Amino acid sequence: SSNCYIDGSFIIQITSLPETIQPNDYEVCDDLSADGYYSDFLLNSKDSEVLTTQDETLFNISYHLTFNDADNYIAPLDKENPYRNINQNRQTIFVRIENKDHSDCYQITSFDLVVNPLPIVNNLINIEECDIDGDNTTIFDLTINTNESIGSQINVGISYFTSEIEAQANTTPIVNPSAFINTVNPQTIYIRLTDNNLECFIVSDFTIRATNFPILIQPTDYQICDDSSDGDDTNGFVQNFILSSKDNEILGSLDASQY
């Protein structure tokens, strides 16, 4: 009979899908190995960017190598420990954001891990200048190495430093590298090449040296007897003068390897 019935109730709950945005790529600079791999990606550093303003207590975030893995929650990557990319230079990571209470409510997004190359230091020239007054100091134009080091690279800047620590930290660059007076002799100068777009940098060095102004000694005359090697031993011409035999006499106590 239609009069036989009982009342009851139940709750229909609709769980909203998490919101997603496209995170920025995770970009780092390569190291001196220049191999396109980086061992210290921290994937959990992307959590807040993925969530935006959503309550982190309501969602689980996992990172995966493929869309299929993310879609099926397979093989999540360890996001709490440093991760090394497996594809050289650029690798896509897929992110799954799911409701903690309803794992079927999820969204997937992605970003790239990018290992940017360092600038390349081309040939650096060690610079020597004459120390005219003998005080072991003189003026050096360090910018001789600007074009030498940068070569054909574009958007690369250079700074000069007197210590490697300052070059690494980019603090206290030499103010006027085109007219630098050395403070010790010889002295190591450090350069910092920076990619102005990517902000990746590399540090290298060269040496400057103030060379003592040579004091020449007046050598004695080079006397030799006439001979008949030219067919006449009385004409005052000799063909076997060895001028280098006067080198040591002219240099005196100077280091011959420096001249």
Side-chain angles (χ1 to χ4, degrees):
S1 169
S2 60
N3 291 325
C4 295
Y5 65 89
I6 187 171
D7 291 329
S9 65
F10 60 91
I11 298 173
I12 297 176
Q13 182 176 355
I14 300 175
T15 302
S16 299
L17 285 173
E19 298 177 3
T20 59
I21 64 165
Q22 180 74 38
N24 294 321
D25 288 340
Y26 191 161
E27 298 192 45
V28 299
C29 297
D30 206 347
D31 55 25
L32 294 177
S33 67
D35 60 0
Y37 293 95
Y38 184 74
S39 299
D40 291 316
F41 285 109
L42 285 174
L43 300 179
N44 64 2
S45 67
K46 285 294 197 180
D47 285 1
S48 60
E49 185 180 352
V50 170
L51 283 171
T52 61
T53 60
Q54 299 171 96
D55 186 350
E56 63 180 8
T57 64
L58 301 180
F59 301 98
N60 289 321
I61 302 175
S62 58
Y63 298 85
H64 303 262
L65 293 179
T66 67
F67 181 90
N68 183 68
D69 285 354
D71 196 31
N72 294 282
Y73 192 67
I74 297 172
L77 299 172
D78 182 359
K79 69 177 185 177
E80 305 298 333
N81 289 300
Y83 173 76
R84 177 182 173 87
N85 55 307
I86 58 175
N87 295 335
Q88 189 179 40
N89 299 320
R90 182 179 289 268
Q91 175 184 334
T92 300
I93 296 293
F94 295 89
V95 188
R96 177 188 174 104
I97 314 162
E98 69 175 37
N99 190 293
K100 286 184 176 180
D101 296 326
H102 302 276
S103 60
D104 287 340
C105 294
Y106 66 89
Q107 293 273 39
I108 295 173
T109 186
S110 66
F111 63 90
D112 283 353
L113 304 177
V114 181
V115 182
N116 290 312
L118 300 179
I120 297 172
V121 179
N122 292 292
N123 298 325
L124 289 175
I125 300 173
N126 294 326
I127 305 173
E128 293 190 3
E129 296 290 352
C130 287
D131 172 21
I132 297 176
D133 56 8
D135 64 354
N136 282 322
T137 65
T138 191
I139 298 174
F140 293 87
D141 181 3
L142 307 180
T143 62
I144 291 172
N145 273 314
T146 295
N147 290 334
E148 292 292 334
S149 59
I150 294 176
S152 61
Q153 298 172 97
I154 59 175
N155 294 318
V156 172
I158 184 170
S159 300
Y160 295 84
F161 301 83
T162 56
S163 85
E164 184 175 11
I165 293 175
E166 291 174 343
Q168 293 287 351
N170 198 23
T171 58
T172 323
I174 295 172
V175 175
N176 186 8
S178 63
F180 174 75
I181 300 176
N182 61 303
T183 56
V184 294
N185 190 39
Q187 183 168 5
T188 301
I189 299 296
Y190 299 87
I191 68 163
R192 176 187 172 109
L193 289 188
T194 303
D195 186 311
N196 295 325
N197 292 330
L198 303 174
E199 298 185 359
C200 295
F201 71 91
I202 189 169
V203 171
S204 190
D205 63 81
F206 61 95
T207 301
I208 60 174
R209 182 189 301 273
T211 304
N212 291 331
F213 198 76
I215 301 175
L216 301 181
I217 297 175
Q218 179 64 45
T220 59
D221 292 340
Y222 192 164
Q223 299 186 34
I224 192 171
C225 294
D226 200 350
D227 58 26
S228 58
S229 59
D230 61 354
D232 187 345
D233 60 2
T234 62
N235 62 359
F237 291 98
V238 176
Q239 298 179 2
N240 57 351
F241 280 107
I242 308 298
L243 299 181
S244 60
S245 66
K246 290 299 226 178
D247 286 359
N248 290 336
E249 184 181 352
I250 294 171
L251 290 173
S253 61
L254 297 177
D255 183 354
S257 67
Q258 300 296 316
Y259 300 94

